[in-house]
Amino acid sequence: MNGLVMAAQLILGLSILVTLHELGHFMAARAFGIRVEKFFLFFDAWGFKFFSFKKGETEYGVGWLPLGGYVKIAGMIDESMDKEALKKPPQPWEFRSKPAWQRLIVMLGGVIMNFILGVVIFSFITLHYEKQYLPPEAIDNGIYAYDLGKSVGFKTGDKIVKINGKKVERFKDIATPVNLMGSVVTVERNGNEVNIVIPDTFYKTLHKAKSLFIEPDNFVFTIDSVLPGSNAEKAGLRKGDKILSAQNSPVATFGDFKEITRHNKGKTMNITVLRGDDTIAQTIDVDSFGLVGFVASTPPYKRAKYNVVQGFEYGWKDGISILTANIKGLGRIFSGEVKASESLQGPIGIANIYGGTWIWPKFWYLTGMISFILAFMNLLPIPALDGGHVMFLTWEAVTRRKLSDKFMERAQTVGMIILIGIMLFAVFNDFLNYIF
């Protein structure tokens, strides 16, 4: 069942991304009077397809191979490699008959649509799901530094002031991918400002450790509710209980308790509980995730509400942050700092990231993130990608010399070989990581 949910999320996510990407090309082409012969979600390789219908001059359909999609634009050398059509004299409705600036806009249409989609999705998440954010200044007693936070220099009680010299507006911005790939965080500690350097390899450490970093958990808590059937319920914990100690260590804050449970995954802990005026000694089992099954009382921090303008502003900023992180990541792959096998994900890897449980906020976040990644990847100057066409069209616009059809055919072939190689590597890498 989990596998079906993963596959369904992957197919739905790809369907949204591919359809809107190709729609960007389609709309730009039609705006300049260029005919679009086919518009397909997924590839109809070797002529196989689930269905298709023709409306006007365009055949719309769904192919069987879920590795992307395409629009077949009249008079353009693309993945269809339709050489026969190019042997005929150019027609006014064909791509090759249009000026370079129009062809450039057509090729950028998909990337622009993916970027807009990413901003819209992130804005939707901000306004519909999150609705509020936590300003760092609201955490008046400072953050709680877990082991990974301590390893780079944070201390419990630190108050976040700036990141890379800029004021922090939301606490969540501290842990964005781009900041975890190298940044300087300024904190207030005992009335003084202290700079903490997050190394450029820290994101790898955090990913591998799957541990906590810094959180707004430095607050006194009681148990708000106990989950039915949980270890907390079996141990007899109740709403209103206050945990005084665990494993013979004092528990002053929620962060203290979370840290102790994570150091005792899969074990049975001794705890001391204050219930009314009574102090009770108990034992409780900790699961493999370091959880026991209760909800703590609400943190005493005042959150701020997003307005519509802020929703789109942060949708834009979050998108730029993801793009910057991907550019940095690609640079580190080429420089040899990071192995491609550790960074590239194929369809199985992406499905695993979506997960076996359908959680709509997570689905939309990952789909929005992939939309930004697709926008960036499609701009890479590889023939057969949008970026390759943009590179050649830019050359033509600058030199006023049009590249020959023979050159474009050969470049397209080389580009397809490169892309197929990358796809095969990603799929093989998925099998190594998730199957064997």
Side-chain angles (χ1 to χ4, degrees), residues 122-372:
F122 275 25
S123 301
F124 168 74
I125 292 170
T126 297
L127 295 170
H128 181 72
Y129 290 115
E130 294 182 4
K131 298 181 182 178
Q132 299 177 329
Y133 64 96
L134 180 61
E137 58 269 21
I139 311 171
D140 50 12
N141 48 356
I143 55 96
Y144 191 93
Y146 291 94
D147 289 343
L148 282 177
K150 293 173 186 174
S151 72
V152 293
F154 286 100
K155 292 185 178 181
T156 295
D158 285 349
K159 297 179 181 179
I160 308 298
V161 181
K162 300 173 186 175
I163 298 178
N164 295 328
K166 296 181 180 178
K167 184 178 183 296
V168 184
E169 297 170 343
R170 303 178 299 177
F171 178 79
K172 64 177 282 187
D173 292 334
I174 298 162
T176 58
V178 70
N179 287 332
L180 295 177
M181 295 175 79
S183 59
V184 177
V185 180
T186 304
V187 301
E188 181 187 323
R189 182 183 296 165
N190 300 323
N192 299 313
E193 288 195 352
V194 178
N195 288 330
I196 297 170
V197 178
I198 297 179
D200 56 9
T201 57
F202 184 70
Y203 71 101
K204 291 172 62 178
T205 304
L206 185 62
H207 176 71
K208 288 180 179 178
K210 295 181 180 178
S211 185
L212 295 173
F213 177 38
I214 60 173
E215 297 290 341
D217 291 338
N218 193 30
F219 63 93
V220 177
F221 77 103
T222 58
I223 295 176
D224 181 72
S225 60
V226 177
L227 302 180
S230 66
N231 290 336
E233 184 182 60
K234 293 172 185 175
L237 295 182
R238 302 177 189 174
K239 177 181 175 66
D241 284 355
K242 179 178 173 58
I243 298 175
L244 300 177
S245 68
Q247 292 295 77
N248 302 315
S249 296
V251 173
T253 66
F254 187 48
D256 288 336
F257 186 73
K258 284 173 65 174
E259 186 162 45
I260 294 169
T261 57
R262 275 158 177 75
H263 287 164
N264 290 275
K265 293 178 181 179
K267 298 179 181 179
T268 299
M269 294 196 315
N270 298 310
I271 59 173
T272 304
V273 177
L274 178 65
R275 181 177 298 158
D277 295 326
D278 298 324
T279 301
I280 305 168
Q282 294 175 276
T283 60
I284 189 168
D285 293 330
V286 184
D287 68 16
S288 59
F289 298 101
L291 303 173
V292 295
F294 69 75
V295 177
S297 53
T298 304
Y301 308 132
K302 186 176 181 180
R303 293 178 172 267
K305 290 185 177 180
Y306 289 110
N307 58 41
V308 175
V309 174
Q310 285 177 316
F312 283 95
E313 176 189 351
Y314 286 120
W316 170 271
K317 287 182 177 179
D318 291 344
I320 295 297
S321 175
I322 287 174
L323 281 177
T324 304
N326 275 277
I327 292 169
K328 281 186 174 182
L330 187 65
R332 290 175 185 178
I333 290 175
F334 282 116
S335 68
E337 294 178 49
V338 177
K339 294 179 180 178
S341 59
E342 296 177 353
S343 301
L344 289 178
Q345 299 283 350
I348 299 172
I350 296 172
N352 270 275
I353 294 171
Y354 272 114
T357 303
W358 202 306
I359 304 169
W360 279 110
K362 181 182 177 182
F363 169 83
W364 286 119
Y365 177 81
L366 289 172
T367 302
M369 182 177 69
I370 296 170
S371 191
F372 285 118

